[in-house]
């Protein structure tokens, strides 16, 4: 007789599918195919562990092994594989080819500890809690798994790749750390028991008097539990035991700072912007106040058909550019202001299919699109541009200010901001096919003036932002180089441009430039993302404001420009000075910037620091490049300040630091809204820091935080600060407090 339990198991197993092998030895199974690119793959390489063979992949930068399921795998519980790789070289994501959607990229370093290139490590990815955030993959027609090399390329092994029908979640305490003045924040998975959690401070047990639990909507498989202690935290050593978790921290002596609400200036609401938000709910969740339609492709946007061209970003291929008018409509309806770009060269895309450098015409090119093998990158194998230059009529139709005015007139939805093109100073590279000549000072100015006049004629109240210069080098010179400066009295580009725009505006009888717009990407190389690179990334925000911070990149030694204090970027005060001396009244915007790493918690902390600095130093507008993952570290930095459910105040409050080295180790930003104070504290250090914040009112505060041992997720609670002399912020954590 078959026991009932076995019978049930037997019946059950006939109803659900079994685990599915994707790769075991020698070949892909079950109709799976490799859709990877620019990667040499050996499916029968020497094994490092069990069986006869494994997959050996050697990928160029940004190339991949990409395994495609003939069916969809959305009903499986997870994915298991063995990997031997250098974790920092590789990431993984899942895709639906039918719906063109992609999961967030998962750094291989977030898949577990011990992954190394010399031996296999088994990895399980639970689709209900993707690392590192713990967000679920969600429903979808998922059918593709991609291991993608990062910028340095990668050589690695994979083996025993399998879809799992079930993953048993073991109830577990995942992390525990001291927070604020009397809390232990504990993250958990599954149904854990809190009875046995013990906390002792300097070897004296402290009672837990209350536990509140927060279960974030984005990461429902994990909760955070705030254990309120019977006494406040203080310097010393704290030990927390919870199940098998046993952790301890040194609680250090305090860092002193004081908050002075009387010293204050407005924070521009427009600094919390992004390029290309994905949806109305994205705008609302993150509190995105400003949305930009920008980047290289918009230079060739043809509004009469919605075509565009990718330029050098992707083989000079035309494609669907989306509809600008409806885009402005929905971003404004979602509560954001809209920044639109007017093309400023002489050509725009004519369709969604043409491209500038067909192999049939230019057989001898360095690279061709792996997905469209006739489209080349326009460069000879020796690195010089192909000759003769292509006929622009192949992919484009003419464009001028008459066309621009017609388009702007017809827009049903009017943008609050208009840019004259994008990084026009490097058109000879990004749009080599239609503008092979380097753009000079004079050409750039005349294009900006012509399109600014056209725009103001049709939309007189729109703000004009220009010249959206890409980087430090081009703030000061043109693509022609310093001979162009010499031809203009050795006046560097941006000051010259501002003075010229002032005089053109006087002549026109109206302001032709409302915002001096620049792009700013932190110049230091933090690509290694190791401990030193992370510390550098967290320091480099000083380049936004600190005249004493010699940039830790080539900028710190280059002497070609004619600016004062030329090796410190000192960005916002420097630009404000240039404006004050050359075209007073112009506002300042940064329409592209980036944390330098969207996936790492330190990138999120750079974003928190940067948004705080933008407010403190009076920047007028800014938009992140581009579309940070709403559940990732950068998205959470936006959520922290202005995301749904709270609000960092609209007026700054001064923060005075006792420690002159504060900016390398932590940041504190304060603001008021009416009589209520809000404070953001970020800890850039790899250990907890504690703070004595004089003038912080004893009160109840709404608190948000991300980072630290709790990881990157939307954690929040209500706390009462009864002791402002000892407030703990865990390592690599940003905390937001707002007086209730
Ligand atoms: C608490 O810990 C003790 C000793 O480690 C163990 O025997 C007991 O089962 C635990 N109780 C709970 C509720 O976890
Ligand atoms: C625990 O704290 C929460 C939030 O402050 C409160 O609503 C609840 O009443 C407290 N519970 C106990 C048992 O004190
Ligand atoms: C603190 O933790 C470390 C590492 O887990 C351990 O070696 C040390 O003994 C602990 N110290 C205390 C006081 O529990
Ligand atoms: C690069 O190759 C092209 C085509 O072979 C040739 O015409 C050109 O002179 C070469 N340029 C350089 C700098 O060698
Ligand atoms: C723009 O192009 C159209 C069509 O070629 C032409 O009729 C018009 O005069 C041009 N406008 C300007 C300002 O050059």
């Amino acid at each position: 007789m078959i026991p009932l339990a076995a019978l049930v198991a037997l019946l059950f197993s006939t109803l659900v599918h079994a685990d599915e092998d994707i790769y075991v030895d020698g070949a892909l199974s079950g109709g799976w195919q490799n859709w990877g690119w620019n990667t040499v793959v050996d499916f029968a390489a020497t094994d490092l562990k069990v069986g006869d063979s494994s997959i050996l992949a050697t990928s160029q930068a940004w190339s991949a092994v990409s395994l495609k399921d003939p069916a969809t795998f959305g009903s499986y519980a997870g994915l298991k594989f063995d990997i031997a790789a250098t974790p920092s070289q590789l990431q993984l994501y899942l895709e639906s080819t039918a719906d063109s959607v992609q999961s967030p990229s998962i750094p291989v370093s977030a898949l577990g500890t011990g992954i190394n290139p010399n031996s296999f490590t088994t990895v399980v990815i639970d689709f209900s809690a993707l690392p590192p955030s713990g967000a679920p993959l969600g429903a979808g027609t998922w059918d593709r798994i991609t291991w993608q090399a990062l910028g340095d390329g990668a050589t690695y092994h994979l083996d025993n790749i399998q879809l799992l029908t079930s993953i048993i979640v073991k109830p577990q305490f995942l992390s525990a750390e001291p927070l604020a003045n009397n809390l232990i924040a504990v993250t958990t998975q599954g149904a854990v028991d809190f009875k046995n959690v013990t906390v002792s401070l300097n070897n004296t047990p402290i009672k837990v008097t209350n536990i509140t639990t927060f279960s974030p909507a984005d990461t429902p498989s994990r909760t955070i539990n705030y254990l309120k202690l019977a006494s406040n935290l203080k310097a010393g050593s704290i030990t927390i035991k919870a199940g098998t978790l046993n952790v301890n921290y040194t609680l250090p002596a305090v860092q002193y700072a004081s908050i002075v609400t009387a010293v204050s200036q407005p924070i521009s609401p427009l600094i919390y912007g992004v390029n290309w938000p994905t949806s109305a709910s994205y705008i609302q969740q993150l509190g995105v106040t400003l949305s930009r339609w920008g980047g290289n492709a918009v230079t060739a946007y043809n509004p009469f058909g919605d075509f565009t061209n990718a330029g050098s970003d992707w083989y000079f291929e035309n494609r669907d550019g989306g509809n600008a008018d409806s885009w402005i409509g929905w971003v404004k309806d979602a509560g954001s202001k809209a920044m639109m770009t007017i093309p400023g060269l002489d050509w725009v895309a004519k369709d969604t299919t043409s491209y500038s450098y067909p192999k049939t015409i230019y057989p001898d090119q360095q690279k061709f699109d792996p997905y469209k093998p006739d489209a080349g990158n326009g460069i000879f194998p020796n690195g010089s541009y192909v000759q003769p230059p292509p006929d622009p009529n192949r992919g484009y139709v003419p464009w001028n200010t008459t066309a621009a005015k017609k388009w702007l007139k017809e827009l049903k939805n009017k943008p609050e901001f208009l840019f004259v093109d994008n990084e026009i100073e490097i058109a000879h590279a990004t749009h080599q096919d239609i503008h092979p000549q380097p753009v000079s000072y004079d050409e750039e100015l005349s294009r900006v003036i012509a399109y600014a006049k056209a725009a103001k004629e049709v939309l007189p109240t729109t703000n004009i932002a220009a010249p959206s210069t890409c980087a430090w080098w081009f703030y000061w010179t043109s693509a022609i180089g310093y001979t162009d400066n010499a031809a203009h009295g050795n006046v560097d580009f941006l000051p010259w441009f501002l003075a010229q725009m002032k005089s053109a505006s006087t002549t026109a009888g109206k302001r032709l430039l409302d915002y001096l717009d620049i792009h700013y990407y932190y110049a230091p190389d933090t690509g290694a993302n190791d401990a030193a690179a992370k510390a550098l990334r967290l320091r480099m925000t000083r380049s936004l404001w600190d005249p004493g911070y010699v940039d830790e990149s080539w900028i710190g030694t280059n002497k070609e420009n004619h600016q004062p204090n030329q090796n410190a970027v000192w960005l916002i005060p420097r630009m404000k000075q240039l404006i004050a001396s050359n075209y007073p009244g112009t506002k300042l915007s940064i329409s592209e910037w980036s944390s330098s790493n969207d996936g790492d918690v330190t990138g999120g902390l750079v974003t928190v620091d940067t948004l705080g600095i933008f407010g403190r130093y009076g920047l007028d507008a800014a938009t992140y490049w581009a579309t940070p993952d709403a559940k990732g570290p950068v998205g959470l930095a936006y959520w922290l300040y202005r995301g749904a459910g709270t609000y960092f105040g609209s007026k700054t409050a001064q923060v005075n630091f006792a420690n002159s080295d504060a900016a390398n180790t932590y940041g504190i930003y304060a603001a008021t809204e009416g009589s209520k104070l809000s404070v953001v504290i970020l800890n850039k250090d790899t250990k907890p820091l504690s703070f004595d914040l004089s003038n912080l009112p004893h009160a109840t505060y709404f608190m948000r935080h991300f980072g630290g041992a709790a990881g990157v997720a939307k954690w929040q609670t209500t706390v009462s600060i009864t002791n402002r002399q000892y407030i703990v912020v865990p390592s690599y954590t940003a905390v937001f407090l707002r007086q209730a």
Side-chain angles (χ1 to χ4, degrees):
M1 196 180 107
I2 302 174
L4 188 59
L7 186 66
V8 170
L10 193 68
L11 285 173
F12 192 60
S13 69
T14 59
L15 296 177
V16 295
H17 43 205
D19 291 350
E20 179 185 328
D21 288 332
I22 300 173
Y23 172 90
V24 180
D25 269 325
L28 296 172
S29 42
W32 282 74
Q33 295 176 333
N34 178 21
W35 285 20
W37 62 94
N38 295 352
T39 297
V40 180
V41 185
D42 178 355
F43 283 96
T46 312
D47 206 344
L48 299 176
K49 192 182 189 184
V50 287
D52 300 325
S53 60
S54 66
I55 298 175
L56 170 61
T58 301
S59 289
Q60 296 173 21
W62 309 110
S63 302
V65 169
S66 185
L67 303 185
K68 167 78 175 66
D69 192 344
T72 66
F73 56 73
S75 62
Y76 282 90
L79 175 70
K80 184 176 168 186
F81 55 91
D82 298 331
I83 184 166
T86 302
S88 61
Q89 292 178 344
L90 209 57
Q91 63 184 7
L92 177 138
Y93 55 84
L94 306 163
E95 247 175 301
S96 157
T97 46
D99 298 330
S100 296
V101 291
Q102 191 173 307
S103 74
S105 295
I106 304 168
V108 163
S109 56
L111 293 179
T113 51
I115 296 173
N116 71 85
N118 305 316
S119 63
F120 276 116
T121 305
T122 300
V123 163
V124 173
I125 297 175
D126 180 347
F127 292 162
S128 74
L130 298 181
S133 69
L137 176 61
T141 56
W142 305 105
D143 63 352
R144 196 166 165 187
I145 307 163
T146 300
W147 288 263
Q148 185 184 32
L150 301 179
D152 292 335
T155 295
Y156 56 101
H157 286 264
L158 298 170
D159 203 358
N160 303 313
I161 309 170
Q162 209 181 22
L163 288 165
L164 303 177
T165 51
S166 68
I167 291 175
I168 293 160
V169 177
K170 192 171 107 199
Q172 213 177 341
F173 291 97
L174 300 171
S175 71
E177 57 194 352
L179 177 65
N181 68 177
N182 61 359
L183 295 181
I184 304 295
V186 178
T187 60
T188 63
Q189 66 178 27
V192 295
D193 190 336
F194 278 93
K195 285 204 194 79
N196 269 6
V197 176
T198 62
V199 180
S200 56
L201 183 54
N202 298 330
N203 298 316
T204 308
I206 312 186
K207 264 179 68 172
V208 172
T209 59
N210 191 357
I211 301 177
T212 52
T213 294
F214 180 71
S215 183
D218 292 345
T219 54
S221 64
R222 292 187 204 168
T223 62
I224 196 157
N225 307 273
Y226 297 96
L227 279 52
K228 192 170 167 190
L229 302 176
S231 57
N232 283 331
L233 295 164
K234 59 183 179 195
S237 158
I238 190 164
T239 304
I240 308 152
K241 293 183 183 160
T244 55
L245 187 75
N246 182 352
V247 289
N248 61 64
Y249 300 92
T250 299
L251 296 181
V254 290
Q255 306 283 343
Y256 292 94
S258 72
I259 296 169
V260 185
T261 52
V263 182
S264 173
Q265 61 167 359
I267 296 174
S268 168
L270 302 179
I271 59 176
Y272 307 100
V274 306
N275 281 266
W276 301 111
T278 53
S279 65
S281 78
Y282 179 100
I283 286 174
Q284 285 146 9
Q285 278 303 310
L286 272 60
V288 173
T289 50
L290 188 61
S291 300
R292 175 170 177 257
W293 166 289
N296 292 339
V298 303
T299 290
Y301 176 65
N302 181 349
F304 309 114
D306 296 339
F307 315 125
T308 193
N309 181 286
S312 62
D313 288 342
W314 200 256
Y315 301 94
F316 300 89
E317 287 174 23
N318 285 357
R319 60 190 191 199
D320 183 346
N323 184 266
D325 202 354
S326 60
W327 182 88
I328 297 167
W330 77 254
V331 304
K332 287 176 69 170
D333 285 349
S336 156
K337 296 206 182 327
M339 297 182 128
M340 179 52 53
T341 302
I342 319 173
L345 300 181
D346 300 330
W347 301 89
V348 291
K350 73 173 184 191
D351 58 23
T352 58
T353 52
S354 300
Y355 41 92
S356 290
Y357 299 102
K359 192 175 197 170
T360 43
I361 295 173
Y362 299 103
D364 192 23
Q365 298 186 60
Q366 197 184 49
K367 273 194 207 163
F368 293 92
D369 179 357
Y371 301 105
K372 193 182 263 188
D374 193 46
N377 70 347
I379 296 176
F380 281 131
N382 66 11
S384 58
Y385 287 112
V386 298
Q387 295 298 333
D391 176 1
N393 292 293
R394 188 172 295 125
Y396 299 87
V397 289
W399 175 260
N400 62 23
T401 51
T402 309
K405 280 195 281 190
K406 174 170 156 31
W407 168 47
L408 296 177
K409 236 177 246 149
E410 287 172 2
L411 282 178
K412 287 194 288 292
N413 301 292
K414 309 297 186 194
E416 287 92 351
F417 293 84
L418 281 169
F419 292 91
V420 180
D421 215 287
N422 170 76
E423 301 186 355
I424 203 168
E425 73 284 351
I426 52 167
H428 71 287
T430 46
H431 302 284
Q432 216 277 332
D433 54 342
I434 48 173
H435 198 294
Q437 300 309 321
V439 174
S440 66
Y441 273 41
D442 295 340
E443 180 184 346
E444 182 158 358
L445 177 71
S446 74
R447 288 185 185 273
V448 172
I449 290 175
Y451 283 92
K453 276 185 178 159
K456 286 263 166 157
E457 209 179 298
V458 182
L459 300 174
T461 60
T462 299
N463 294 291
I464 301 292
S468 305
T469 308
C470 67
W472 180 259
W473 178 261
F474 290 101
Y475 297 166
W476 314 123
T477 188
S478 73
I480 290 175
Y482 275 87
T483 54
D484 210 8
N485 300 48
H488 295 86
N490 272 328
V491 182
D492 291 341
F493 179 69
L494 285 181
W496 178 84
F497 172 81
L498 281 165
Q500 296 296 316
M501 289 308 293
K502 179 174 187 236
S503 102
S505 299
T506 306
T507 309
K510 59 183 151 191
R511 189 172 257 281
L512 296 177
L513 184 75
D514 299 285
Y515 283 72
L516 173 67
D517 185 56
I518 53 174
H519 294 170
Y520 183 62
Y521 292 95
Y522 292 107
D525 181 3
T526 59
N529 205 35
D530 54 13
K534 288 178 191 190
L536 169 57
R537 175 178 299 137
L538 290 164
R539 276 195 306 273
M540 70 191 181
T541 53
R542 288 174 60 189
S543 66
L544 293 169
W545 63 272
D546 187 348
Y549 180 68
V550 174
D551 207 65
E552 297 177 76
S553 74
W554 64 271
I555 293 170
T557 53
N558 183 277
K559 302 229 178 273
E560 267 160 299
N561 69 61
H562 308 90
Q563 299 304 304
N565 195 11
Q566 66 196 157
N567 300 124
V569 173
W570 183 32
L571 191 73
I572 299 171
R574 178 189 292 282
M575 290 296 159
K576 290 198 157 208
Q577 260 182 32
L578 286 183
I579 288 170
S581 22
N582 295 288
Y583 192 4
T586 309
K587 292 182 173 175
L588 177 64
S589 62
I590 300 178
S591 67
E592 288 186 21
W593 68 278
S594 164
S595 72
S596 82
N597 193 324
D598 281 15
D600 194 275
V601 66
T602 55
L605 299 177
V606 165
T607 306
V608 170
D609 209 13
T610 304
L611 293 175
I613 291 166
F614 285 172
R616 176 172 294 165
Y617 289 90
L619 185 68
D620 295 297
T623 46
Y624 194 85
W625 184 265
T627 324
D629 173 16
K631 298 169 190 170
V634 174
L636 291 193
Y638 280 81
W639 166 83
L640 191 85
Y641 276 95
R642 291 279 176 120
T646 194
Y647 194 83
F648 185 65
S650 61
K651 286 169 68 186
T652 61
Q654 191 180 66
V655 181
N656 298 317
F657 298 90
N659 175 358
S660 61
D661 191 36
N664 291 340
T665 324
Y666 55 92
I668 304 175
Y669 299 94
T672 54
E673 187 71 34
S675 61
K676 307 288 188 185
L677 182 70
S678 40
V679 180
V680 167
I681 312 174
L682 77 141
N683 178 353
K684 303 182 179 188
D685 211 338
T686 51
K687 53 185 198 284
L689 293 179
S690 49
F691 297 92
D692 179 331
L693 299 182
S694 56
N695 306 329
L696 184 78
H698 287 192
T700 303
Y701 289 80
F702 173 73
M703 178 173 71
R704 281 186 167 169
H705 60 110
F706 73 85
V712 175
K714 291 180 174 172
W715 312 122
Q716 61 183 28
T717 191
T718 301
V719 293
S720 48
I721 303 278
T722 55
N723 169 20
R724 58 169 176 70
Q725 277 91 15
Y726 205 87
I727 295 172
V728 178
V729 177
S731 75
Y732 279 175
T733 294
V735 173
F736 165 91
L737 294 166
R738 180 165 203 263
Q739 224 178 332

